[in-house]
Amino acid sequence: MFVDGKVYLGTSARAEYLDLKLANRHGLITGATGTGKTVSLQIMAEGFSRAGVPVFCADVKGDLSGIAVSGESKDFLEERAQNIGFDDYVYEAFPTIFWDLFGRQGHPIRATISDMGPLLLSRLLDLTEVQEGVLNIAFAYADDEGLLLLDLKDLRAILGEIDENDDVISKRYGRVSRASIGAIQRSLLVLEQQGAEHFFGERALDIRDLMRTDKDGRGIVSVLAADELMQSPRLYATFLLWLLSELFEELPEVGNPDKPHLVFFFDEAHLLFDDAPDALMDKVEQVVKLVRSKGVGVYFVTQNPLDIPDPVLAQLGNRVQHALRAYTPREQRAVKTAADTFRPNPDFDTAEVITQLGVGEALVSTLEKKGVPSMVGQTMMRPPSSRLGPITPVERTQIIKNSPVAALYSETLDRDSAFEELQRRAAAKQREEQLQLERESRDDFGDLWETRTGYRDKYRDDRPKTKRKSRRSTRQTPTEAAAKTFARTVARQLGNQLVRGILGSLKRGR
């Protein structure tokens, strides 16, 4: 059943394949809990890996980790293979890299605040439109001042700087509300308590490390440990959306390659779209439409096809539909929606069959020549070649230890950034103010001496006295002026190299 250029999925009235040339046209895996969605994801990841296509997927329940080790002979697996004519069924492990935002069950994944950008960060913080505007001002101010935003303390430092100088900054960028700054700072505190401080920082993930192959030419499967991450669903969804936007921004246009450069599985996809503002939804739709020309296939995994907005659903050409229940009106609509998206098969009623599928069965329709969907087939999905179920902690530790990226992400970096630079500026300002006070104190003492003695120091300045200005004024000291001139020079140089992409994340100019 292994055919070059195709991924074997299972058998209906015929063998069902996914053509690699059309695999970047995206796809959808849906079905109720316990119907076999995770196993379908696993066998598709195996097929892509075997064909030399790297895969990224989130392991929400821990079951998907078994792809890293060889499967074990079991009667029901052998029987399934025999029933569908899978004569070349073998057990094998697939090259795997484990990742974890918290760094506990895999290599830590990090991104900088600047990489994330104000749009996605606003979504993550659940900000209002006004608060999002203030956050955009914070990013613009940091860019203009040459201040790096790498982690949460950098962003807090920038917000504090804006709060202290709100009058001046409001004149340059627009009105800044102190109430909005306070609301953003509170949201950052909540985010930090959810563990986001592990994610924001360096070394930032290089997406090329998700697109590796092993020495045998098989695509490496990157598995994100998401069981703990799912406790912060907004962080999970925003991270995966950021990763998708990074792929979109950084990869070159390749048109329609013979096989994808990467396949991206987005499990629990409804979290991406729940309560998302219209502006973000428009951009997500745009990314999904355009990222396929970068050689990236996106496969959404969710329980209900109604979880996916229609404009995105229309882009998903390869479908694997497991059983759905139809007890409620919404579930009945979901069954009808799923049935209507398939090319009908005259041998059965699609809507009726969806509610009767057994575990491991699915309705399958993939794109054929010229991108035309195949006639839907009631398919017995093939058994996985890797382990069905999770690996042990000992096995995971050994795989992480021998990973090709182990040396790259083991240490956390903490470069000089906005937090440190603003501290230095504050210290310089304090020293300048202290010197000014000392000069004024000496001048005041000299004036008092002249008044009481009538004696004037011939070495004192005979120029007329001017009214001293309070240091509460916005006039810059020479030290401040020099520092800001240097910062703006750096910012202009950075501006020639750094631009923000479609979702606001940072990308390097080419």
Side-chain angles (χ1 to χ4, degrees):
M1 293 294 182
F2 294 135
V3 178
D4 289 341
K6 295 184 178 181
V7 174
Y8 174 55
L9 301 178
T11 301
S12 57
R14 61 173 190 173
E16 297 286 350
Y17 292 96
L18 194 160
D19 193 334
L20 288 173
K21 290 184 178 180
L22 298 168
N24 66 329
R25 302 290 182 92
H26 311 319
L28 179 67
I29 303 174
T30 52
T33 300
T35 56
K37 296 191 301 297
T38 300
V39 177
S40 292
L41 193 163
Q42 183 173 344
I43 64 173
M44 292 175 72
E46 290 179 358
F48 284 123
S49 176
R50 187 180 287 110
V53 178
V55 173
F56 179 89
C57 51
D59 189 9
V60 173
K61 296 177 292 186
D63 296 343
L64 200 55
S65 61
I67 198 171
V69 297
S70 178
E72 301 160 355
S73 179
K74 296 183 182 296
D75 290 343
F76 72 93
L77 296 176
E78 301 287 348
E79 182 180 356
R80 170 70 64 88
Q82 185 177 1
N83 289 341
I84 64 176
F86 190 13
D87 297 331
D88 42 2
Y89 180 43
V90 294
Y91 297 103
E92 60 179 315
F94 292 84
T96 305
I97 297 177
F98 289 109
W99 302 90
D100 183 0
L101 261 66
F102 305 109
R104 299 186 183 100
Q105 300 183 70
H107 305 295
I109 291 183
R110 303 184 188 94
T112 68
I113 293 289
S114 286
D115 285 338
M116 181 67 71
L119 178 61
L120 290 180
L121 194 57
S122 296
R123 161 69 168 158
L124 182 58
L125 296 172
D126 196 21
L127 301 183
T128 66
E129 186 175 347
V130 173
Q131 293 162 1
E132 182 179 348
V134 173
L135 189 62
N136 275 279
I137 289 175
F139 273 78
Y141 178 76
D143 288 344
D144 290 345
E145 294 294 316
L147 299 171
L148 294 176
L149 296 178
L150 302 181
D151 50 28
L152 290 177
K153 72 177 186 296
D154 291 326
L155 183 55
R156 281 196 294 265
I158 285 289
L159 292 171
E161 178 78 0
I162 292 175
D163 189 35
E164 291 179 5
N165 302 278
D166 59 327
D167 291 341
V168 177
I169 291 175
S170 292
K171 292 177 182 178
R172 290 175 58 186
Y173 300 97
R175 179 62 183 164
V176 176
S177 165
R178 287 193 169 184
S180 294
I181 292 176
I184 296 171
Q185 290 172 328
R186 289 191 296 272
S187 296
L188 287 174
L189 180 60
V190 173
L191 189 65
E192 187 173 11
Q193 291 173 344
Q194 294 177 350
E197 77 276 9
H198 298 288
F199 172 53
F200 289 112
E202 293 184 309
R203 167 181 312 227
L205 175 69
D206 186 339
I207 62 170
R208 290 173 295 183
D209 288 323
L210 302 180
M211 306 176 68
R212 292 172 173 259
T213 56
D214 69 359
K215 62 181 180 181
D216 299 321
R218 296 181 302 171
I220 290 181
V221 181
S222 291
V223 177
L224 174 69
D227 48 350
E228 183 179 357
L229 181 59
M230 287 302 296
Q231 298 176 22
S232 304
R234 192 177 292 272
L235 177 59
Y236 168 79
T238 306
F239 161 69
L240 290 186
L241 185 54
W242 166 77
L243 188 56
L244 182 60
S245 71
E246 284 289 290
L247 294 168
F248 173 77
E249 302 294 355
E250 296 300 324
L251 296 180
E253 293 280 345
V254 294
N256 292 304
D258 290 337
K259 60 184 180 182
H261 292 176
L262 177 72
V263 170
F264 185 101
F265 287 96
F266 203 133
D267 202 358
E268 299 292 340
H270 66 280
L271 297 174
L272 172 61
F273 306 107
D274 286 350
D275 302 321
D278 291 340
L280 179 60
M281 287 303 306
D282 292 341
K283 293 182 182 297
V284 171
E285 178 187 345
Q286 189 175 358
V287 169
V288 172
K289 283 181 178 179
L290 299 178
V291 76
R292 72 177 183 87
S293 65
K294 307 294 184 95
V296 177
V298 182
Y299 287 72
F300 294 97
V301 185
T302 189
Q303 291 191 18
N304 197 318
L306 293 179
D307 295 335
I308 310 296
D310 288 343
V312 177
L313 193 63
Q315 306 296 320
L316 313 180
N318 301 295
R319 307 285 182 91
V320 176
Q321 175 66 64
H322 288 273
L324 290 174
R325 310 306 175 210
Y327 302 128
T328 67
R330 185 176 188 275
E331 290 173 339
Q332 291 167 2
R333 290 197 304 272
V335 169
K336 185 178 185 304
T337 299
D340 291 345
T341 59
F342 285 110
R343 179 180 167 188
N345 189 324
D347 293 337
F348 57 83
D349 183 329
T350 304
E352 182 179 353
V353 168
I354 287 177
T355 62
Q356 299 173 354
L357 293 169
V359 176
E361 284 187 290
L363 294 178
V364 173
S365 175
T366 59
L367 297 178
E368 298 181 322
K369 292 181 179 179
K370 298 182 180 180
V372 177
S374 66
M375 186 182 299
V376 62
Q378 185 175 348
T379 305
M380 187 69 72
M381 303 298 286
R382 78 163 180 88
S385 296
S386 54
R387 180 182 296 174
L388 189 62
I391 60 174
T392 66
V394 174
E395 290 171 327
R396 182 186 291 268
T397 299
Q398 189 62 35
I399 292 170
I400 293 172
K401 181 180 178 180
N402 296 328
S403 166
V405 300
L408 296 177
Y409 298 97
S410 57
E411 294 184 4
T412 301
L413 304 179
D414 190 12
R415 285 193 292 160
D416 268 11
S417 48
F419 176 77
E420 290 80 9
E421 176 60 25
L422 289 174
Q423 280 191 324
R424 283 193 292 268
R425 292 186 187 183
K429 181 178 180 180
Q430 186 176 11
R431 287 194 300 271
E432 187 68 29
E433 289 178 345
Q434 183 63 34
L435 290 174
Q436 180 68 16
L437 288 173
E438 292 175 0
R439 287 193 293 268
E440 292 175 357
S441 177
R442 288 195 298 269
D443 288 345
D444 290 342
F445 178 78
D447 291 340
L448 180 62
W449 175 261
E450 292 171 5
T451 301
R452 293 188 174 182
T453 65
Y455 175 77
R456 183 173 183 82
D457 187 346
K458 65 178 180 179
Y459 297 108
R460 285 178 55 81
D461 189 357
D462 290 330
R463 291 175 296 179
K465 298 289 189 298
T466 58
K467 185 178 181 180
R468 300 187 185 97
K469 292 185 179 180
S470 169
R471 281 299 297 140
R472 293 180 60 85
S473 74
T474 59
R475 185 180 63 181
Q476 296 177 0
T477 66
T479 302
E480 291 174 319
K484 288 191 175 183
T485 300
F486 173 75
R488 286 172 182 148
T489 301
V490 172
R492 284 195 295 271
Q493 293 173 346
L494 289 172
N496 294 331
Q497 300 172 352
L498 302 178
V499 292
R500 295 204 173 273
I502 190 171
L503 288 176
S505 59
L506 204 62
K507 65 176 182 177
R508 295 274 173 182
R510 297 185 182 88

